[in-house]
Amino acid sequence: MTLLRIDASILGPISASKELADLVLAEWASGRPDEKVVTRHLGTDPLPSDAWAIAVDAAHSTPVDQRSDTQKAADALAKEVYDEVISADAVVLAFPLYNWGVSAHVKTWIDLVIAGAVVTGGTAGDRVLEGKPVVLLTTRGGNYSKGTPKEGWDHSTPYLRRVLADAWGAELTVVEREFTLVGIKPELDQFAALGAQLKQTAHDAATAAGKALAAG
């Protein structure tokens, strides 16, 4: 089996979403030590934002033997990203909330996967994760849970559910962690106990998701 892990944090080693993904991968490695893991980091190695548009336009307007080097490069990248998804048996996605929505890095990845389906002869509606187990790990600096002032401000997680499960057909597990900025921003020190509790709950959920993923 092949597991695909994709990170999107811009915070490097201090990333809370990376920490959750590492817990999932630790359980995967423990249960399936010989299985292949493919990784991509959209935060440290972002995909070019115009590649999907170039690839889709070329697919509809330019015969393959007449495409420019730029179009060919966009086609190749779209196919590479698409093939990673299609070839994976399980997927782990560490996608933090940024500025109340999906980061540009993640949106570009989604668009390129869809472009890859078109480039390889499919359609934008192809269910590229049909029946595959996918763990989505999402983190939020503040608290967006029910009853808080920021309830409803997370426009990332509902969108990702729509894409991954509804459009792409994934068997989706979502692990969420709120208040990752507690202990970092002094104005949130009053929420230290709650932040610690939410962190532990998320870590336990990530470990459980990893065990379930490894168990198959």
Side-chain angles (χ1 to χ4, degrees), residues 4 14 27 30 46-47 63 78 85 88 100 108 118-119 121 129 185 215:
L4 172 63
I14 66 169
E27 295 300 327
S30 177
L47 297 162
V85 172
W100 312 291
T108 297
V118 174
V119 165
L129 290 173
K185 287 193 171 185

Side-chain angles (χ1 to χ4, degrees), residues 55-56 59 67 74-76 78-79 114-122:
V56 170
R67 291 178 189 172
D75 284 351
K79 185 178 184 302
I114 294 172
V118 174
V119 165
T120 55

Side-chain angles (χ1 to χ4, degrees), residues 167-189:
W168 288 358
E171 295 181 358
L172 186 63
T173 299
V174 181
V175 176
E176 305 172 74
R177 181 186 162 195
E178 309 273 5
F179 261 162
T180 62
L181 290 176
V182 171
I184 297 174
K185 287 193 171 185
E187 61 266 32
L188 297 178
D189 285 350

Side-chain angles (χ1 to χ4, degrees), residues 63-114:
V64 173
D65 60 353
Q66 296 178 27
R67 291 178 189 172
S68 67
D69 289 344
T70 298
Q71 289 173 320
K72 291 176 182 177
D75 284 351
L77 181 59
K79 185 178 184 302
E80 176 186 333
V81 172
Y82 170 81
D83 284 346
E84 287 177 351
V85 172
I86 290 296
S87 300
D89 299 291
V91 181
V92 176
L93 305 172
F95 291 171
L97 173 75
Y98 285 127
N99 301 325
W100 312 291
V102 178
S103 73
H105 303 131
V106 171
K107 184 59 166 62
T108 297
W109 173 75
I110 291 170
D111 289 336
L112 267 173
V113 172
I114 294 172

Side-chain angles (χ1 to χ4, degrees), residues 26-74:
E27 295 300 327
W28 175 267
S30 177
R32 296 176 178 268
D34 299 321
E35 304 288 7
K36 181 180 180 181
V37 176
V38 175
T39 62
R40 180 179 289 275
H41 203 302
L42 305 175
T44 59
D45 189 18
L47 297 162
S49 60
D50 60 346
W52 72 275
I54 294 170
V56 170
D57 178 67
H60 292 299
S61 66
T62 310
V64 173
D65 60 353
Q66 296 178 27
R67 291 178 189 172
S68 67
D69 289 344
T70 298
Q71 289 173 320
K72 291 176 182 177

